[in-house]
Amino acid sequence: MKHTLKSLPLSNSFAKLPEDFYARVEPSPTLNAAELIHFNPAAAKLLDLLPGCHHSTEFKAIFSGNQSINNAAHIAMRYAGHQFGQFVPSLGDGRAIMLGETTNSLGQAWEIQLKGSGMTPFSRMGDGRAVLRSSIREYLCSEAMFGLGIATTRALCITACDDKVYREQIETSAILTRLAPSHVRFGSLEYFYYRDKFELLKQLIDYVIHYHYPELSGNDNPYLALLQEVIARTAKLIAQWQAVGFCHGVMNTDNMSILGLTLDYGPFGFLDSYNPHHICNHSDHAGRYAYDQQPQVGLWNLACLAQTLTPFISEDDARQALDQYWQIFATEQQQLMARKLGFENHNDDLEPLTKSLLSQMQQSQTDYTCFFRQLCDLERDNNQANPTLKDMFLEPERFDQWLKDYRQALRQYAPPDMSRQIDMKQANPKYVLRNHMAQLAIEKAEQEKDYSEIDRLIRLLQNPFDEHAEMQGYANPAPESVEQIAISCSS
Ligand code: AMP
Ligand code: MG
């Protein structure tokens, strides 16, 4: 059954927990009139909303925080977190308010959250608002990640208005409506663990298992099973990030999802040229969250999560669970790299091949996405080296040798050209959200209130493996002049 906003069944299972876990809070109305600047039909489907529902004034009013919806409890969640390695005992949704949760006809529950809808008891020094630029970036990237097949929160729409917000400069505000089965973070558990509130901690974990991991409840120790499952999901998630060249930028434990989703898009970036030490967050001076640090940081964060479970599991069990991380990560990463290279399965012969390729790409600053996409078209037995590929390397002879070895491996292990090429094009996106693409959409929105570029990018990035011949320009490497757009935490 499809719903209008009035008939949308909203509940809030999280708000049935004691108020220790959240604060009840209403969105603050905007000062100036809000407009709906983009709507994502794919996300509306998840909520079983009627097509066209976004044309109503009610839609705009609800998703800009100017009108309440269906009496569900509106809450801001409480959490703590390790930020850049330092424990911060009190964080919480300082600018996000969950409107409630709806369960669709497939039985999937989706929490609906406004981000940027005004102050909450957790706002600390902040204004509770989000700027247009960061809202557009999160909106585009969460849908891009979904298009890439990577677990992520989703985005329903953006509303914006002329209300001023003060960052490094004066900007205008926007509200992103975000969807996730749960927004519980590692930091949600840390809040209670570090206050020795183990009864409440247990209640929170039981909630997570009951609603989001019901299959684990029959285990001898469901808490250990939960840890093992979150470790597995997180290891696989980060392997996927690495495979597409995604850098999160702020992998603090308050940004790590208990469901293994990509959560809280801030100064993220996709690799342009292949530089494993790439730091996408301008404020991350030490490179703690550099591209090649992400797998290690994932484990560090999981160790923080494991710590919070020690009232319920032995330290030995926690350690053994964490010991599985590298194995799970490596298996996933090897498999993803094998698929990127056109092989159905990883084998040991592919290891030196991958290593040599990445080292040459690093040396030559080869564009990561473009190279793999163009490699898809290689013909196994046509020994005339593909000239455009060769142009991407500083030492063409060395690359030639690599191609020879690669062709040999293809003959040995890969399906014939036609089916390999099709498979490779499902493993190597033609389009990723490069900073300059988001930047263009932001500039048009900020300067001209022209939101057409957001629309174009959403359509493109929701299907990044398709050719979209008319959009070829978006598949090119970033122009050199814009490769260094600096993105900071400020949002
Ligand atoms: P983030 O960097 O967006 O993951 O946010 C880190 C913490 O700061 C979270 O507790 C946020 O809710 C809070 N925060 C970020 N920006 C604001 C803001 N403008 N107003 C209030 N709280 C904020
Ligand atoms: Mg955050």
Side-chain angles (χ1 to χ4, degrees), residues 97 162 165 275 322 325 342:
I97 294 175
D162 289 336
V165 284
N275 169 14
L322 290 167
Y325 176 84

Side-chain angles (χ1 to χ4, degrees), residues 79 83 90-96 115 118-120 122-130 167 185 250 252 254-255 264-267 489 491:
Y79 50 84
Q83 299 194 314
S90 285
L91 292 165
D93 290 331
R95 54 169 168 175
K115 187 169 174 184
M119 301 233 287
T120 76
F122 311 116
S123 295
R124 298 176 294 157
M125 309 296 282
D127 57 5
R129 293 295 179 189
R167 300 291 184 260
R185 301 128 195 280
V250 202
N252 294 334
D254 51 299
N255 292 336
D264 273 10
Y265 293 86
C489 273
S491 59

Side-chain angles (χ1 to χ4, degrees), residues 150-163:
I150 299 178
T152 176
T153 57
R154 301 293 302 275
L156 176 69
C157 63
I158 306 183
T159 58
C161 69
D162 289 336
D163 291 7

